[in-house]
């Protein structure tokens, strides 16, 4: 018995507007937001490496996110299919009304376009997340860009933002800044 094969679609073809969740940016340099796939794993890995101070995980981890968690992750590509933005996260098993955002990265070519916010909102507006009314993440105290992003999201969503220390420097091996748990919500997904 033979297993039917799925047709292969290159990443550049998947970046076309007909399959993108959203098209953002300027007319001369559009960016396409969509669910990731296995072809994006290496590009995501390279993007994260180019975005210090983000913690870089293995290429395998990004392949898993792009395939096993694709409904709760988003990738942004340019017209050539190059990965220029990525958000990873998941809906918490023990709190199904809460989305935990793990990493957000925007490459140099796409900075200043509001892409990080648009990536997060693309995920939050998916039907799979209709029951989500809280967003959580962790941020180091000195990551001003991330604090700014999450404050803007809370303001746009008319939702409170709360934070507290979550992981101490000691818990993180003594060589990493503490991570604060940041929680936005409750919010209405139909307002995003």
């Amino acid at each position: 018995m033979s297993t039917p094969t799925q047709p292969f679609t290159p990443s550049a073809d998947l970046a076309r507007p007909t399959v993108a969740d959203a098209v953002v940016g300027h007319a001369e340099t559009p960016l396409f937001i969509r669910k990731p796939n296995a072809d994006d794993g290496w590009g995501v890995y390279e993007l994260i490496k180019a975005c210090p101070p983000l913690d870089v995980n293995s290429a395998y981890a990004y392949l898993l996110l792009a395939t096993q968690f694709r409904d709760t992750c988003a990738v942004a590509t340019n017209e050539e299919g190059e990965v220029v933005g990525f958000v990873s996260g998941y809906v918490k098993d023990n709190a199904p009304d809460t989305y935990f955002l793990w990493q957000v990265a925007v490459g140099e070519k796409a900075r200043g376009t509001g892409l990080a916010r648009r990536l997060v909102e693309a995920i939050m507006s998916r039907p799979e997340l209709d029951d989500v009314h809280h967003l959580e993440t962790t941020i180091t105290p000195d990551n001003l860009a991330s604090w700014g992003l999450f404050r803007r999201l809370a303001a746009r969503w008319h939702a409170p933002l709360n934070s507290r220390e979550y992981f101490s420097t000691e818990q993180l091996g003594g060589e990493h800044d503490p991570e604060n748990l940041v929680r936005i919500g409750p919010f209405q997904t139909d307002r995003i």
Side-chain angles (χ1 to χ4, degrees):
M1 171 189 322
S2 66
T3 305
T5 58
Q6 301 248 346
F8 175 76
T9 305
S11 290
D13 290 343
L14 289 170
R16 303 215 187 288
T18 55
V19 295
D21 294 337
V23 180
V24 300
H26 307 289
E28 63 276 2
T29 56
L31 302 174
F32 306 99
I33 297 173
R34 59 177 170 74
K35 292 179 181 182
N37 62 61
D39 291 338
D40 299 312
W42 186 256
V44 169
Y45 174 70
E46 290 293 322
L47 172 70
I48 301 296
K49 286 190 338 185
C51 292
L54 289 178
D55 292 326
V56 180
N57 298 286
S58 70
Y60 178 73
Y62 294 112
L63 279 167
L64 287 176
L65 288 167
T67 56
Q68 302 298 312
F69 294 89
R70 69 185 309 262
D71 289 341
T72 56
C73 295
V75 67
T77 60
N78 60 20
E79 285 186 300
E80 291 77 40
E82 177 187 5
V83 175
V84 296
F86 180 68
V87 170
S88 60
Y90 54 90
V91 176
K92 294 172 66 170
D93 284 340
N94 62 345
D97 68 337
T98 302
Y99 175 81
F100 185 87
L101 189 150
W102 181 17
Q103 279 188 315
V104 58
V106 174
E108 191 173 323
K109 293 178 181 178
R111 291 189 184 139
T113 63
L115 182 58
R117 174 187 59 80
R118 293 169 188 250
L119 281 162
V120 173
E121 289 183 340
I123 294 169
M124 299 308 296
S125 64
R126 290 179 182 159
E128 299 94 322
L129 277 73
D130 279 348
D131 295 330
V132 169
H133 301 286
H134 295 87
L135 181 147
E136 290 182 348
T137 193
T138 63
I139 307 174
T140 57
D142 63 346
N143 188 335
L144 301 180
S146 289
W147 282 106
L149 169 64
F150 288 95
R151 285 186 179 114
R152 286 189 301 277
L153 288 171
R156 282 178 58 85
W157 300 348
H158 305 287
L161 181 147
N162 296 290
S163 69
R164 64 176 172 83
E165 187 173 286
Y166 192 59
F167 295 127
S168 69
T169 297
E170 292 76 29
Q171 289 172 314
L172 292 163
E175 297 180 12
H176 191 290
D177 290 334
E179 293 274 353
N180 289 333
L181 179 67
V182 178
R183 182 174 172 89
I184 300 174
F187 52 79
Q188 296 300 318
T189 54
D190 61 351
R191 291 176 61 188
I192 295 174

